[in-house]
């Protein structure tokens, strides 16, 4: 069976599976990669959570430069960010987010983190998905850029 992914344009990919070909945006390709990883893990009898895939994509925001992170944070709902930080349990990410938001928002974020209990997976997934979708949207528009060790500029 033929399986492959071909980049057509900046945010357009052609995914081949057997005789079928589907055009997808980058976010959808990343979700497909998570689904394929999940299938591989499940095939070996282990458990896999879709939430972990979303968290993995969300943690990419640690790779943003400060200015790009500020642009992303200005587009996000504080409630989604609180849920994401609770689920991620990543001190480095929390510090980077706090460093790149205004003092009033940072104070509100910390208060919300103190009083909010980590909700169930069904509540977390949509919030994290919105953050990930917004990061892909802004990257596609050229508003932000994720730093990559493999990127080369001429």
């Amino acid at each position: 069976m033929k399986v492959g992914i071909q980049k057509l344009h900046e945010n357009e990919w052609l995914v081949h599976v057997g005789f079928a070909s589907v055009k997808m945006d980058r976010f959808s390709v990343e979700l497909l990669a998570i689904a394929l990883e999940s299938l591989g893990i499940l095939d070996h009898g282990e458990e896999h959570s879709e939430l972990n895939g979303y968290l993995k994509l969300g943690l990419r925001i640690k790779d943003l430069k400060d200015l790009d992170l500020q642009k992303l944070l200005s587009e996000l709902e504080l409630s989604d960010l609180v849920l994401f930080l609770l689920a991620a349990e990543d001190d480095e990410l929390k510090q980077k987010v706090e460093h790149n938001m205004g003092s009033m928002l940072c104070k509100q974020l910390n208060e919300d983190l103190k009083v909010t209990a980590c909700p169930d997976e069904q509540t977390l997934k949509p919030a994290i998905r919105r953050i990930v979708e917004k990061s892909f949207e802004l990257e596609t528009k050229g508003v932000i850029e994720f730093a990559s060790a493999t990127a080369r500029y001429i």
Side-chain angles (χ1 to χ4, degrees):
M1 176 187 294
K2 179 174 118 177
V3 176
I5 299 175
Q6 176 186 5
K7 184 175 183 176
L8 298 176
H9 301 289
E10 186 62 34
N11 191 37
E12 186 176 31
W13 298 76
L14 189 61
V15 178
H16 303 276
V17 180
F19 294 106
S21 295
V22 178
K23 287 184 182 179
M24 302 176 108
D25 64 3
R26 186 164 174 219
F27 177 65
S28 299
V29 171
E30 293 289 342
L31 288 179
L32 177 62
I34 290 170
L36 292 174
E37 178 184 341
S38 178
L39 288 174
I41 289 171
L42 291 172
D43 194 40
H44 289 91
E46 300 173 27
E47 290 187 26
H48 186 263
S49 168
E50 186 180 5
L51 177 63
N52 291 337
Y54 285 145
L55 283 171
K56 182 179 175 181
L57 286 176
L59 288 173
R60 289 181 36 199
I61 67 174
K62 289 195 304 187
D63 297 333
L64 289 172
K65 294 178 182 171
D66 287 346
L67 183 59
D68 289 336
L69 181 55
Q70 292 166 15
K71 291 175 184 176
L72 175 62
L73 291 173
S74 71
E75 297 281 332
L76 299 178
E77 292 291 327
L78 188 62
S79 59
D80 289 345
L81 189 58
V82 167
L83 294 178
F84 174 56
L85 291 173
L86 285 171
E89 297 178 341
D90 187 312
D91 289 333
E92 178 188 349
L93 173 65
K94 184 177 178 278
Q95 289 173 357
K96 187 165 183 165
V97 167
E98 287 174 346
H99 175 74
N100 284 288
M101 41 182 6
S103 61
M104 293 302 290
L105 272 176
C106 184
K107 187 181 262 189
Q108 181 64 48
L109 175 72
N110 284 316
E111 287 297 319
D112 290 350
L113 286 171
K114 287 177 187 174
V115 299
T116 306
C118 194
D120 63 357
E121 191 170 318
Q122 297 305 320
T123 306
L124 289 172
K125 281 193 302 190
I128 297 170
R129 182 182 174 109
R130 285 189 293 270
I131 290 172
V132 172
E133 284 176 336
K134 184 56 75 172
S135 70
F136 276 93
E137 177 188 328
L138 294 177
E139 182 184 26
T140 300
K141 291 179 178 178
V143 175
I144 63 173
E145 180 180 3
F146 286 91
S148 170
T150 60
R152 301 286 184 257
Y153 299 98
I154 55 172

